[in-house]
Amino acid sequence: MTEKTKEIINNQINEEFYSAYLYLAFSAKLEKWGFKGAANWMKIQAQEENDHALGFFRFLLERGEEPELRAIAKPEEASLKNMLDMFSAGLAHEKHITACIGKIYELAREEKDYALESFTKWYIDEQVEEEANAIEIIDKLKLIGDNGSAVYMLDQELKARMYVPSGPYATANTAA
Ligand code: OFO
């Protein structure tokens, strides 16, 4: 594996852990505000991001490389003041992640690293789903506005989300 490839994957491990941090920070804030359902949704998203990081972590190990764990930045977006702004910031962040994954895929093709090319496909598909999920919730929040009982119902809906291990090594993540 080239240095360039190792660097982009190590960076992506950090990006995915930052995503987990971001969603966990949103979860804490939402729970403090009394939105337990939205807090649950965000916490599960954080768990999935952790899995995504572990996917890249494991990929490096399986290719005989040692992952490098770097400092995770403080998520400044956690200072946002309402749920709509948080989900919108989440979507903006996912678009950034989609671009990062695209760059990994491009590099894999450039370097004819077929294993990485194949591995990255899982993340490309996942990003379509992640952006769609965020858009759906943002649309609902816009529709609802400040209608308290509708916000309460949406919060109840978000409470139903359950954690399912996510990532190309989902079943192996517990042992990663
Ligand atoms: Fe939110 O996505 Fe990871 O990869």
Side-chain angles (χ1 to χ4, degrees), residues 13-137:
I13 291 173
N14 190 265
E15 290 276 2
E16 300 290 346
F17 278 132
Y18 176 79
S19 305
Y21 241 43
L22 175 68
Y23 289 116
L24 200 58
F26 285 159
S27 174
K29 196 57 77 70
L30 287 162
E31 183 154 343
K32 288 272 284 175
W33 291 342
F35 297 120
K36 289 213 164 176
N40 170 64
W41 193 96
M42 290 289 189
K43 194 189 80 192
I44 288 169
Q45 189 59 37
Q47 286 174 289
E48 285 200 6
E49 298 300 351
N50 194 61
D51 287 349
H52 299 168
L54 290 177
F56 284 106
F57 176 90
R58 174 133 305 280
F59 181 76
L60 278 184
L61 285 170
E62 299 214 336
R63 298 280 302 272
E65 305 291 349
E66 184 181 346
E68 186 190 308
L69 297 178
R70 300 170 179 173
I72 302 165
K74 179 181 175 185
E76 299 298 341
E77 299 96 318
S79 61
L80 290 170
K81 298 278 181 270
N82 65 64
M83 213 195 292
L84 177 58
D85 286 350
M86 281 184 179
F87 277 97
S88 301
L91 176 60
H93 179 69
E94 288 309 330
K95 288 186 174 168
H96 162 71
I97 295 293
T98 299
C100 292
I101 301 288
K103 283 191 184 126
I104 298 174
Y105 189 76
E106 277 167 28
L107 183 65
R109 298 194 86 170
E110 209 177 286
E111 296 196 341
K112 299 194 187 338
D113 186 334
Y114 302 117
L116 179 60
E117 185 179 330
S118 167
F119 175 80
T120 309
K121 280 186 183 148
W122 184 91
Y123 287 90
I124 293 173
D125 295 342
E126 174 71 5
Q127 283 311 113
V128 175
E129 193 188 312
E130 296 227 330
E131 287 190 26
N133 289 343
I135 290 167
E136 193 185 324
I137 297 170

